[in-house]
């Protein structure tokens, strides 16, 4: 995993890190968004919050990217906070094809 553009060692959740948010579980239950498998039997939930940073984990396809964008918009409207897309980045599994990468990056307006 890259953090601030640099490879990092294993991330071990400790105090101050929480997973989940009030929006993604509803979408997960409806089958609109899925977690991300990181190893056999190990999945990450859809969001991880730490301080003023957020990590979103979802399948790299247009449908799920649009769901993420939708619940980010809902969060922005309720919280008054906005995503700074100029400071945002996106990373894909090496197994994600180029077409899906381009669709997801374009939908979220990040590169």
């Amino acid at each position: 995993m890259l953090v601030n553009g640099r490879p990092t060692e294993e991330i071990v959740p400790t105090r101050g890190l929480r997973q989940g948010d009030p929006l993604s579980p509803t979408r997960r239950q409806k089958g609109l968004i899925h977690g991300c498998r990181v190893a056999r039997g190990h999945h990450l939930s859809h969001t991880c919050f730490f301080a003023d940073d957020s990590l979103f984990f979802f399948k790299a396809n247009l449908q799920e990217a649009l769901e993420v964008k939708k619940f980010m918009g809902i969060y922005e409207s309720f919280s008054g906070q906005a995503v700074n897309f100029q400071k945002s980045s996106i990373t894909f599994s090496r197994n994600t094809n180029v077409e899906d990468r381009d669709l997801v990056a374009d939908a979220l307006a990040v590169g």
Side-chain angles (χ1 to χ4, degrees):
M1 176 180 287
L2 298 178
V3 174
N4 295 326
R6 296 189 179 128
T8 185
E9 295 179 21
E10 178 182 6
I11 295 176
V12 179
T14 60
R15 187 175 161 181
L17 179 67
R18 63 185 171 91
Q19 290 188 331
D21 67 54
L23 299 171
S24 64
T26 302
R27 284 173 167 69
R28 182 192 59 202
Q29 291 168 352
K30 292 181 179 180
L32 300 173
I33 190 169
H34 301 84
C36 178
R37 189 178 87 168
V38 294
R40 256 182 240 152
H42 297 282
H43 288 77
L44 291 175
S45 70
H46 316 303
T47 57
C48 294
F49 296 103
F50 185 75
D52 61 348
D53 296 319
S54 299
L55 302 173
F56 296 87
F57 299 93
F58 59 95
K59 285 186 179 180
N61 61 47
L62 181 58
Q63 176 188 342
E64 294 204 18
L66 294 174
E67 283 299 317
V68 168
K69 187 172 184 170
K70 188 185 301 182
F71 74 71
M72 285 171 41
I74 293 168
Y75 173 80
E76 288 177 355
S77 68
F78 281 102
S79 70
Q81 297 176 329
V83 174
N84 184 340
F85 287 102
Q86 292 180 346
K87 292 174 70 178
S88 299
S89 63
I90 191 166
T91 303
F92 296 95
S93 159
R94 69 182 81 163
N95 300 323
T96 306
N97 68 50
V98 174
E99 181 180 289
D100 286 332
R101 290 175 187 227
D102 290 342
L103 287 171
V104 169
D106 288 347
L108 297 175
V110 296

